């Protein structure tokens, strides 16, 4: 008989922000080095999914955004430790930027890249969800 281990997924939220053909991304420190990701993180108690995505974007990039649509819901299992994540990815509109705002611990910088530059840096993506969410957008 095969033993089944119940894994409770972590709920995460992410924001895809496009402006003039460029996409807002962050470089962040991970156990595997600096990786590229959409602004994303864990949903906090008491907030809606869109609110969480907007909060994470502000905390990681200094950009206030307005969520405009749900792009998709994704499930990903980290190959190194089996952690399971359910990501709700939203599209959002950039509103204002506070360049003096301190970014979350572990965030190296926020940057705007075009699609081809993101594809060219695929080896640096935090997970396959970076490209999947962008392509679904």
């Amino acid at each position: 008989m095969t033993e089944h281990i119940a894994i409770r997924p972590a709920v995460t939220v992410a924001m895809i922000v496009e402006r003039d053909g460029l996409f807002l991304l962050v470089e962040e420190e991970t156990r595997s080095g600096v990786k590229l990701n959409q602004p994303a993180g864990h949903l906090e108690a008491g907030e809606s999914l869109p609110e969480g995505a907007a909060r994470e974007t502000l905390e990681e990039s200094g950009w206030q955004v307005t969520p405009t649509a749900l792009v998709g819901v994704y499930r990903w299992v980290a190959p190194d430790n089996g952690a399971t994540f359910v990501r709700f990815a939203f599209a959002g509109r950039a509103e204002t930027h506070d360049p003096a705002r301190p970014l979350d611990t572990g965030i190296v910088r926020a940057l705007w890249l075009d699609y081809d530059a993101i594809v060219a840096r695929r080896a640096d993506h935090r997970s396959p969800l970076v490209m999947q969410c962008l392509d679904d957008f």
Side-chain angles (χ1 to χ4, degrees):
M1 183 163 127
T2 305
E3 183 178 330
H4 293 283
I5 299 171
I7 296 176
R8 181 170 292 154
V11 174
T12 62
V13 289
M15 187 69 70
I16 300 162
V17 183
E18 185 270 333
R19 187 183 66 170
D20 300 325
L22 301 175
F23 294 91
L24 179 62
L25 295 162
V26 296
E27 288 179 332
E28 55 188 339
E29 294 283 350
T30 73
R31 291 187 306 263
S32 305
V34 175
K35 296 294 181 181
L36 196 62
N37 199 5
Q38 282 98 8
H42 294 272
L43 185 67
E44 292 184 358
E47 66 186 357
S48 70
L49 294 163
E51 287 169 347
R55 175 190 49 76
E56 285 290 347
T57 303
L58 178 62
E59 291 174 355
E60 293 190 356
S61 72
W63 278 93
Q64 284 207 311
V65 297
T66 300
T68 57
L70 177 66
V71 173
V73 180
Y74 307 86
R75 181 176 176 268
W76 182 67
V77 179
D80 60 343
N81 63 12
T84 301
F85 300 89
V86 174
R87 173 189 262 205
F88 292 82
F90 291 88
R93 181 178 59 250
E95 302 290 354
T96 60
H97 183 239
D98 179 359
R101 181 185 174 90
L103 303 182
D104 266 359
T105 303
I107 300 297
V108 176
R109 66 180 175 142
L111 64 163
W112 293 88
L113 296 174
D114 67 22
Y115 182 86
D116 291 339
I118 297 167
V119 170
R121 292 190 58 188
R122 190 183 297 262
D124 296 333
H125 292 184
R126 174 104 190 231
S127 79
L129 295 181
V130 173
M131 209 65 239
Q132 187 176 359
C133 293
L134 189 59
D135 285 340
D136 289 350
F137 171 80

